[in-house]
Amino acid sequence: MGEPADRAAELCDAALAGDRRALARLLTAVENRTVAAEAALRRLYPLAGRAHLVGITGPPGAGKSTLVAALIAELRTVGRSVAVIAVDPSSPITGGALLGDRVRMQSYAGDHDVFIRSMAARGHAGGLASTSGAAAAVLDAAGFDLIFLETVGTGQSEVEVAAAADTTVVLEAPEMGDEVQAIKAGLLEVADLVVVNKGDRPGAQRTAAQLRAMLVASVPRNDAHHHPRPKRPEVLVTTASTGEGVPELLTALDRHRAAGRDGSAEAARLARAEHQVWAIVSDRLRDRLHDPGRRAVTEATLHEVAEHRLDPYAAADRLLGSLGWRD
Amino acid sequence: MATRPIKVLIAKPGLDGHDRGAKVLARGLRDEGFEVVYTGLRQSPEMIATAALQEDVDVVGLSILSGAHMTLLPKICRLLREQGLDDVLVTAGGIIPDDDIPALKEAGIAAVFGPGTTIAEVADFLRANVRSRD
Ligand SMILES: Nc1nc2c(ncn2[C@@H]2O[C@H](COP(=O)(O)OP(=O)(O)O)[C@@H](O)[C@H]2O)c(=O)[nH]1
Ligand SMILES: [Mg+2]
């Protein structure tokens, strides 16, 4: 056990001292869920929590990568450091992936304060890789001021990004038709900011106006006293390809972060912690139940459920019981 | 995990504006099960070296048509080495005269794939020659 831990400590020290190659290798270890990665995350987690994590989601082609590039340019003019995790889908059949977001974010070679990393989703649904959150924690510990998480962009509800980020930006391109349809209600629900990109295209302002109207209408009125106030996201218009509207977007991101400091972000952070910890608990339970000593019992139990000879609840009780767990 | 995909950077150094070959290769390698980072046209050697470092790739595949291969390819190899990426497999494809190949190999290019090379041949070469890592 000493070896991976030693290696992790070495990589962590180097990455924290600003060695970008060590940082890149740590991220690989995290993606591959190595033993060294777990040791590294244990060490780095207490150092994370300072960066502003910003999720960028929305349909393919809306301009997510171009907008991230424009935000990087804006951040660099004011001397803030920035990292990007850009996720693209993996083929369920071959496991291969084509990671193309970097094409739009190329101009920062030699800038130590910009770090861009592509990630394949590796079978994980929800717009991110299962290790994207851990990768963000590593970049956070390494001291980046802002970290962008660009989702796969399936156009489906990629709500998972909201759990991974402090601020979630839902990006949309102008609608050609009369009505805004492309944004699923579920996606709007998680938006802290809604951005209509391609502001140079006809219909951008009209799309933004429709979204504003829709968002006001969707706020429930009757139970405002008993439930946390639903988000009422600001709607902005940008032209990522020219940078128009990008300074205003950055201001809105900063404002959202500052507002979150006095309370509302706490719930989001707690939800993120819960999500992370439960994922590990369930992984560990599964591993235990597949120990060489228990595997036979576990598999026999699953077969009994498959054949309807045992109900799933009784099966769960039996398996937990086999681990010594009693209620 | 032993089964994790091999990660490849496909980059196009030089000033020519054709990236069809590079895109075909990128898609083909994806279909062969590789994780392929594609970076687009007109990459400077510095951009390529930075991308290779940040992405922690196992392979850098350079596609070049511009005729500047004798200056660009050795420079990229040198930048990779200077950043400590000496265990990354570097290959080149495109239009490269046979006479130039020995000097390129000397400079650190592991293989030069001519126009007739199939994707499967490239994939097999990469699988057989990629560094083994923890
Ligand atoms: N006209 C216009 N095109 C844009 C704008 N932003 C991005 N694009 C283009 O939209 C296409 C998709 O952009 P990309 O950033 O890759 O979108 P993603 O799939 O959401 O990451 C590219 O061809 C961009 O050049 C914009 O503000 N205006
Ligand atoms: Mg993109």
Side-chain angles (χ1 to χ4, degrees), chain B residues 25-115:
Chain B
L25 179 63
R27 278 192 218 106
L29 288 177
R30 173 199 59 193
D31 295 340
E32 288 277 347
F34 293 76
E35 287 182 351
V36 183
V37 181
Y38 183 67
T39 54
L41 286 168
R42 297 193 187 87
Q43 299 290 297
S44 69
E46 289 76 12
M47 285 172 172
I48 292 168
T50 299
L53 180 135
Q54 294 180 349
E55 299 289 352
D56 192 25
V57 291
D58 305 295
V59 181
V60 174
L62 301 166
S63 163
I64 188 157
L65 298 171
S66 63
H69 54 275
M70 292 307 281
T71 51
L72 290 173
L73 299 186
K75 182 165 187 203
I76 293 163
C77 292
R78 182 169 56 74
L79 288 174
L80 291 172
R81 271 197 302 275
E82 282 171 12
Q83 300 195 66
L85 303 179
D86 25 17
D87 55 349
V88 173
L89 187 68
V90 188
T91 65
I95 298 167
I96 294 172
D98 286 349
D99 289 350
D100 292 340
I101 293 176
L104 291 175
K105 291 207 164 161
E106 185 69 22
I109 303 289
V112 175
F113 301 115

Side-chain angles (χ1 to χ4, degrees), chain A residues 7 20-21 24-29 31-34 90-91 94-104 106-111 114-122, chain B residues 1 4-5 7 9 23 26-27 29-41 43-44 46-48 50-56 83-87 131 133-134:
Chain A
R7 169 135 181 81
R20 295 303 189 227
R21 176 154 186 261
R25 296 217 143 167
L26 267 185
L27 292 171
T28 303
E31 271 190 282
N32 294 334
R33 302 158 164 278
T34 65
S90 299
S91 157
T94 66
L98 187 52
L99 314 171
D101 297 310
R102 247 195 127 87
V103 174
R104 320 229 178 265
Q106 280 297 299
S107 325
Y108 304 95
D111 185 343
V114 177
F115 191 99
I116 297 158
R117 179 73 174 220
S118 314
M119 267 183 123
R122 295 193 179 171
Chain B
M1 255 170 257
R4 74 141 180 135
K7 193 168 178 183
L9 179 76
K23 279 184 172 159
R27 278 192 218 106
L29 288 177
R30 173 199 59 193
D31 295 340
E32 288 277 347
F34 293 76
E35 287 182 351
V36 183
V37 181
Y38 183 67
T39 54
L41 286 168
Q43 299 290 297
S44 69
E46 289 76 12
M47 285 172 172
I48 292 168
T50 299
L53 180 135
Q54 294 180 349
E55 299 289 352
D56 192 25
Q83 300 195 66
L85 303 179
D86 25 17
D87 55 349
R131 62 184 165 169
R133 293 211 317 194
D134 44 309

Side-chain angles (χ1 to χ4, degrees), chain A residues 59-66 68 86-88 100-102 104-105 150-153:
Chain A
K64 296 180 293 299
S65 300
T66 312
V68 168
V87 187
D88 276 306
D101 297 310
R102 247 195 127 87
R104 320 229 178 265
M105 308 177 195
E150 178 183 337
T151 70
V152 168

Side-chain angles (χ1 to χ4, degrees), chain A residues 29-113:
Chain A
V30 165
E31 271 190 282
N32 294 334
R33 302 158 164 278
T34 65
V35 178
E38 187 178 320
L41 285 165
R42 285 174 184 232
R43 175 116 185 271
L44 294 178
Y45 195 79
L47 303 174
R50 284 175 297 180
H52 185 186
L53 305 190
V54 178
I56 311 259
T57 187
K64 296 180 293 299
S65 300
T66 312
L67 187 65
V68 168
L71 283 162
I72 296 173
E74 187 62 26
L75 286 161
R76 295 307 295 139
T77 63
V78 293
R80 295 162 78 181
S81 61
V82 54
V84 180
I85 296 172
V87 187
D88 276 306
S90 299
S91 157
I93 296 156
T94 66
L98 187 52
L99 314 171
D101 297 310
R102 247 195 127 87
V103 174
R104 320 229 178 265
M105 308 177 195
Q106 280 297 299
S107 325
Y108 304 95
D111 185 343
H112 190 257
D113 289 326

